[in-house]
Amino acid sequence: MTVLISIAVAMAAGLLMTRAFNLFKMPDVTAYLVAGILIGPFVLGRLGIPGLGFLSYEELGSLDILSNLALGFIAFAIGAEFTLPKLRSTGRQAVIIAIVQALMAVVFVTGALIVCHFVFPDKLSLPVAIALGAIASATAPAATLMVIRQYKAKGAVSDILLPVVALDDAVGLVCFAVATGIAKALQGGAVDIFGLVVNPLLEIVGSLALGSLLGWILTQVEKLYHSNRNRLTLIISMVTLTVALSSLELPLGPAALSFSPLLVCMMLGTVFCNLCPMAEDLMAREDRWTAPLYCLFFVLSGAALKLDVFSDPVMVVVGIVYILFRSLGKYFGSRWSAQAAKCDPTVVKYLGITLLPQAGVALGMSLTAASQFGADGSVIRSITLFSVLIYELVGPTLTKIALTRAGDIKPMSDDVKYRRHNTLAAKTK
């Protein structure tokens, strides 16, 4: 019962916080994250009152299944952006930008942290600098999707943004696998060719294949139903099943076949939206159903952020360097690649600002690194947590500002304001 009360408190806190943040015209995502911090172990959780807040990170860990499910639905929704008409118009540009901006973030952060290694050799080792450089490639799709949906953004920047963020995950997986292989070799281990090349390629290909198969199955089964309510239930069931299957790991001789839940669910959405004629209407219904789940996901994400990363001044300095150079890599990488791909001028100018949020994928990479690098792993985890805390609080607002200046987020017209005012006035009589 305590868990259910905590979930109810989390959702209520997120909703109430949006009212306060609306006064400052800030995105709901940021409000959810701040609400999570307030009810997390570092604030209300310290009071030790069960149900009022989350008392420990172990309690939050018991709700990971909800966070994983929310990420599955987020990736499924992003997959809808890869319909054939959109791929024909932005596919080539999205691929170029996704690869270049991710690699530029890796280069900028790795170079800057190698310099930090020589300044703080006892705090930051060379393998840690290389691993963190690879983690810098990852961009959080969840916050970006939520901002676009909340403000109904539509235009040149938002059209290419979600495909770039989705492809960014695949590039990030390869970068991370290669970087960790190099870092392990520097620690004294032998270079593992399977860990360096084969495993990440297997993960990407396997994820896309599994997602395609499940997407085709979903499309065929959907034809058996004529009620939108039953179709919605089918979609929810299939996304849940996909998240579960994505956690499997199959040994293949010296290699291992694992799956990326984000890539599998994204491919599920891509195949479904390209093959099912009813997909657009069903995706709109699914969006309304998942809104409370997204709220809970971001509140839990905020509660899981560890504020004790500020306790070590050196880690704060390294974290600031990481954030600064990752931002520069993302911005200039997207700007130069968008120019090379002959994108719209607004894409060249504003896309890089929208690619700053970082969360789930980066945290997953840091957890993997923490288990592989011993004492150095805690350094990787701390700096990643520091950057996620800053990026998740600031990134959504920057995304909103960039999309507004690009013209993708339209200001509310006077007519809409007038009708909304009259409706509210009528309700209060």
Side-chain angles (χ1 to χ4, degrees):
M1 186 177 79
T2 303
V3 174
L4 292 177
I5 293 175
S6 297
I7 290 175
V9 168
M11 296 179 71
L15 290 173
L16 290 173
M17 193 61 68
T18 60
R19 296 300 90 197
F21 273 61
N22 278 348
L23 298 175
F24 304 99
K25 298 182 179 180
M26 297 180 72
D28 288 350
V29 176
T30 306
Y32 295 149
L33 291 164
V34 172
I37 292 173
L38 294 178
I39 66 171
F42 272 91
V43 188
L44 284 181
R46 288 187 178 273
L47 298 178
I49 303 175
L52 181 60
F54 295 101
L55 308 185
S56 66
Y57 291 105
E58 289 73 20
E59 184 181 351
L60 282 166
S62 67
L63 300 176
D64 280 348
I65 185 172
L66 295 176
S67 297
N68 293 336
L69 187 60
L71 279 174
F73 279 104
I74 289 166
F76 179 72
I78 291 176
E81 299 299 315
F82 288 93
T83 55
L84 289 177
K86 290 182 179 180
L87 286 175
R88 291 191 188 101
S89 61
T90 62
R92 183 184 67 86
Q93 295 172 333
V95 170
I96 293 173
I97 295 172
I99 294 174
V100 174
Q101 58 84 25
L103 293 178
M104 287 298 292
V106 173
V107 171
F108 274 50
V109 172
T110 302
L113 293 186
I114 287 175
V115 173
C116 289
H117 159 68
F118 290 107
V119 178
F120 308 112
D122 297 332
K123 291 283 187 176
L124 186 70
S125 68
L126 198 56
V128 168
I130 293 172
L132 283 169
I135 292 173
S137 63
T139 299
T144 303
L145 177 66
M146 286 293 289
V147 171
I148 289 176
R149 285 190 169 182
Q150 179 185 347
Y151 296 102
K152 297 178 175 60
K154 188 171 182 61
V157 177
S158 52
D159 284 347
I160 200 170
L161 173 56
L162 287 178
V164 167
V165 170
L167 292 169
D168 178 274
D169 288 333
V171 179
L173 286 172
V174 175
C175 290
F176 182 70
V178 173
T180 52
I182 295 172
K184 285 179 189 176
L186 290 174
Q187 278 190 327
V191 177
D192 179 9
I193 188 63
F194 286 98
L196 201 64
V197 179
V198 178
N199 279 345
L201 292 180
L202 277 176
E203 181 171 344
I204 293 172
V205 173
S207 298
L208 297 179
L210 178 60
S212 299
L213 174 61
L214 294 174
W216 180 83
I217 293 174
L218 174 60
T219 305
Q220 300 309 308
V221 177
E222 179 272 334
K223 296 176 182 177
L224 302 176
Y225 298 93
H226 303 288
S227 164
N228 283 336
R229 182 173 57 186
N230 289 334
R231 286 167 169 160
L232 178 59
T233 302
L234 175 64
I235 290 173
I236 294 169
S237 301
M238 183 57 80
V239 174
T240 304
L241 174 64
T242 302
V243 172
L245 293 177
S246 300
S247 64
L248 297 175
E249 184 169 334
L250 308 174
L252 294 176
L257 176 60
S258 57
F259 304 98
S260 165
L262 285 174
L263 289 180
V264 177
C265 291
M266 182 193 73
M267 200 63 190
L268 173 74
T270 299
V271 173
F272 175 69
C273 289
N274 278 286
L275 296 182
C276 177
M278 297 289 295
E280 186 173 350
D281 180 57
L282 292 173
M283 292 296 287
R285 292 173 179 271
E286 180 265 344
D287 178 38
R288 290 193 291 271
W289 180 88
T290 53
L293 184 62
Y294 292 167
C295 169
L296 180 61
F297 166 73
F298 284 105
V299 174
L300 293 177
S301 298
L305 294 174
K306 297 184 178 181
L307 302 184
D308 57 0
V309 296
F310 295 104
S311 60
D312 188 339
V314 174
M315 289 297 102
V316 172
V317 172
V318 174
I320 292 172
V321 171
Y322 174 95
I323 291 170
L324 175 62
F325 280 87
R326 178 181 177 272
S327 301
L328 291 173
K330 289 284 183 181
Y331 179 77
F332 286 109
S334 62
R335 185 181 183 92
W336 296 335
S337 57
Q339 286 176 331
K342 296 180 170 49
C343 292
D344 187 280
T346 56
V347 174
V348 174
K349 188 173 182 179
Y350 295 109
L351 180 63
I353 302 173
T354 66
L355 297 174
L356 299 185
Q358 189 173 45
V361 178
L363 288 175
M365 290 178 177
S366 71
L367 280 173
T368 301
S371 65
Q372 295 178 349
F373 288 92
D376 283 341
S378 62
V379 178
I380 296 173
R381 180 75 173 155
S382 297
I383 294 174
T384 305
L385 284 169
F386 177 85
S387 69
V388 166
L389 176 62
I390 303 302
Y391 275 128
E392 284 298 272
L393 292 176
V394 177
T397 300
L398 292 177
T399 298
K400 179 203 168 186
I401 292 172
L403 292 176
T404 301
R405 292 184 177 177
D408 287 28
I409 296 177
K410 306 293 191 298
M412 190 182 298
S413 67
D414 292 338
D415 181 54
V416 173
K417 290 180 182 178
Y418 177 76
R419 284 189 279 115
R420 177 172 289 186
H421 173 76
N422 287 345
T423 301
L424 292 174
K427 287 181 179 180
T428 56
K429 287 183 180 179

